[in-house]
Amino acid sequence: MEEVELKDNAFLISKTDKAGIVTYSNIPFQHATGYDEEEIIGKSYTFFLDKETPKALVRQLWDKVSSGKSWQGVVKVHGSSTKYFWVDSLISPSYMNDEMIGFLLIKRKASSKQIAEAQLLHKKLREEHGEG
């Protein structure tokens, strides 16, 4: 797999509905993943998570944001073909008229230290939950 080198100042932004289905993606997200907007819209946010992302981490993330709280963590994202990249991701609920309507996902390039820490955490979670 080929790692995509994200620009230090790039913000990869996407929005989802309450079910986690992507409704918007910005151009830097499209470039990083190698997908056109039409290919991104309508997919679950989990489609872009690397297959090795621990299911326990996804459950923790989803439980937190669906309860109205923000989640921040480092995840490996896969793009089209054989591309991937690590991001420091912030996921926050979006509201309109006091009703949660979806989620805003803001991602930035993760540092080498963040990636190393995330790899250890992901390995630990997979082992603890029998995921490999």
Side-chain angles (χ1 to χ4, degrees):
M1 294 202 49
E2 174 192 351
E3 185 168 7
V4 175
E5 183 64 31
L6 298 176
K7 294 180 180 176
D8 290 333
N9 62 350
F11 284 92
L12 312 180
I13 299 173
S14 55
K15 293 179 184 180
T16 72
D17 62 15
K18 289 195 298 188
I21 304 302
V22 179
T23 59
Y24 167 82
S25 67
N26 72 347
I27 292 173
F29 182 79
Q30 295 164 27
H31 287 174
T33 62
Y35 289 110
D36 293 328
E37 184 177 30
E38 299 80 33
E39 297 172 292
I40 295 170
I41 303 302
K43 288 196 173 24
S44 170
Y45 76 95
T46 59
F47 173 83
F48 300 98
L49 294 177
D50 186 74
K51 304 295 183 245
E52 293 182 10
T53 302
K55 290 176 181 61
L57 181 72
V58 176
R59 276 191 305 277
Q60 290 170 3
L61 176 163
W62 184 250
D63 287 347
K64 192 161 189 181
V65 299
S66 61
S67 73
K69 298 177 182 153
S70 294
W71 179 90
Q72 185 168 6
V74 176
V75 293
K76 186 177 179 183
V77 175
H78 77 81
S80 63
S81 185
T82 58
K83 297 179 179 183
Y84 74 92
F85 51 94
W86 286 89
V87 291
D88 180 8
S89 183
L90 173 65
I91 304 174
S92 295
S94 295
Y95 292 89
M96 182 179 289
N97 300 325
D98 295 328
E99 180 183 343
M100 186 188 305
I101 59 168
F103 305 98
L104 175 64
L105 296 82
I106 303 171
K107 299 172 264 322
R108 292 191 64 174
K109 178 181 179 179
S111 70
S112 298
K113 181 180 178 190
Q114 287 175 309
I115 294 168
E117 290 170 352
Q119 287 172 325
L120 289 174
L121 173 64
H122 293 191
K123 182 177 188 251
K124 179 182 174 193
L125 286 171
R126 282 192 302 273
E127 290 171 355
E128 286 176 356
H129 296 275
E131 297 180 33

